[in-house]
Amino acid sequence: GQNIDQPTEMTATEGAIVQINCTYQTSGFNGLFWYQQHAGEAPTFLSYNVLDGLEEKGRFSSFLSRSKGYSYLLLKELQMKDSASYLCAVRPFTGTASKLTFGTGTRLQVTL
Amino acid sequence: GAGVSQTPSNKVTEKGKYVELRCDPISGHTALYWYRQSLGQGPEFLIYFQGTGAADDSGLPNDRFFAVRPEGSVSTLKIQRTERGDSAVYLCASSLDGANTGELFFGEGSRLTVL
């Protein structure tokens, strides 16, 4: 089975840096995704990690440690528009492509 | 179309009724997924299509739920004898070919309310 844990809520100040952690226990692993979801909207893709290390994309970076079953999403220079839920999702390993299993999401509130 | 399109955006029905939710994926995407999302939760997997066939339907909660994709493009999620617990946002997503590195593109969802 799959078990994905991430904090329920976080608050940070505009202009600051915030790190959202995700730990997972899965029967197999073939990649970890981060999605952003604004209230009432569709989730949108942020990042993908399959190998250990840091992937940087503008203000957003994502880190993966497969041996620890751990990932984090780092958001720099926070803006008010970054207030959203951030979903960690794992793709289990199968012979063919398959579903993503999502965590419950971390609701980030950016304040002035 | 430019993105994944889902209709209706909102559906209110009475307990025991039958509902159909439609998903039109991004043109050329062979993989299609249905998820269900309750308030404050992450999306919960229901079913995955590769082309016309259901490659993985392990997430369908019971036999009241059924989905089809007869021509490998548009998909319909069908719910019989709806129950109040079925109330949620039903999200559809597609990806280019279901490859392991492929990201999922989500639609805006269909919000189902069962009274």
Side-chain angles (χ1 to χ4, degrees):
Chain A
Q2 331 288 341
N3 188 39
I4 301 171
D5 288 313
Q6 48 182 134
T8 304
E9 292 186 356
M10 299 182 72
T11 302
T13 306
E14 188 179 36
I17 299 173
V18 71
Q19 178 175 313
I20 302 174
N21 296 323
C22 171
T23 58
Y24 63 89
Q25 295 172 314
T26 59
S27 55
F29 179 82
N30 198 24
L32 186 142
F33 293 73
W34 284 95
Y35 278 77
Q36 179 190 61
Q37 187 177 27
H38 286 98
E41 298 183 10
T44 55
F45 170 81
L46 288 178
S47 69
Y48 168 73
N49 296 70
V50 67
L51 299 176
D52 291 351
L54 188 68
E55 295 282 342
E56 297 186 81
K57 190 186 295 184
R59 294 189 299 114
F60 291 19
S61 303
S62 58
F63 171 83
L64 175 67
S65 168
R66 289 172 296 170
S67 62
K68 295 180 180 178
Y70 168 69
S71 172
Y72 67 72
L73 180 70
L74 193 70
L75 291 75
K76 304 175 187 175
E77 301 168 16
L78 280 173
Q79 303 175 8
M80 298 299 288
K81 68 178 182 180
D82 297 330
S83 293
S85 283
Y86 291 85
L87 301 163
C88 174
V90 172
R91 173 168 271 155
F93 179 78
T94 60
T96 58
S98 68
K99 58 190 182 259
L100 298 184
T101 300
F102 285 84
T104 57
T106 299
R107 190 163 66 234
L108 174 66
Q109 181 70 42
V110 180
T111 61
L112 291 172
Chain B
V4 177
S5 176
Q6 292 188 245
T7 55
S9 55
N10 276 286
K11 175 70 176 178
V12 180
T13 191
E14 293 180 341
K15 180 176 179 295
K17 299 291 188 181
Y18 169 83
V19 299
E20 289 190 351
L21 307 175
R22 175 190 165 107
C23 173
D24 198 345
I26 293 172
S27 179
H29 281 195
T30 62
L32 185 146
Y33 306 76
W34 282 100
Y35 282 81
R36 177 169 70 174
Q37 187 172 28
S38 300
L39 191 64
Q41 301 296 314
E44 172 194 8
F45 172 77
L46 296 176
I47 187 170
Y48 155 58
F49 286 90
Q50 183 62 256
T52 60
D56 184 346
D57 65 357
S58 62
L60 294 177
N62 52 58
D63 61 5
R64 296 187 298 105
F65 288 74
F66 189 69
V68 296
R69 194 185 185 201
E71 298 178 358
S73 178
V74 171
S75 176
T76 304
L77 178 66
K78 308 180 180 190
I79 311 174
Q80 298 177 321
R81 305 183 304 280
T82 51
E83 299 177 357
R84 292 194 179 87
D86 299 336
S87 296
V89 176
Y90 289 81
L91 294 168
C92 177
S94 69
S95 66
L96 185 59
D97 55 10
N100 289 328
T101 58
E103 67 183 269
L104 271 58
F105 295 85
F106 282 87
E108 296 285 340
S110 292
R111 180 177 298 278
L112 175 65
T113 303
V114 182
L115 300 177

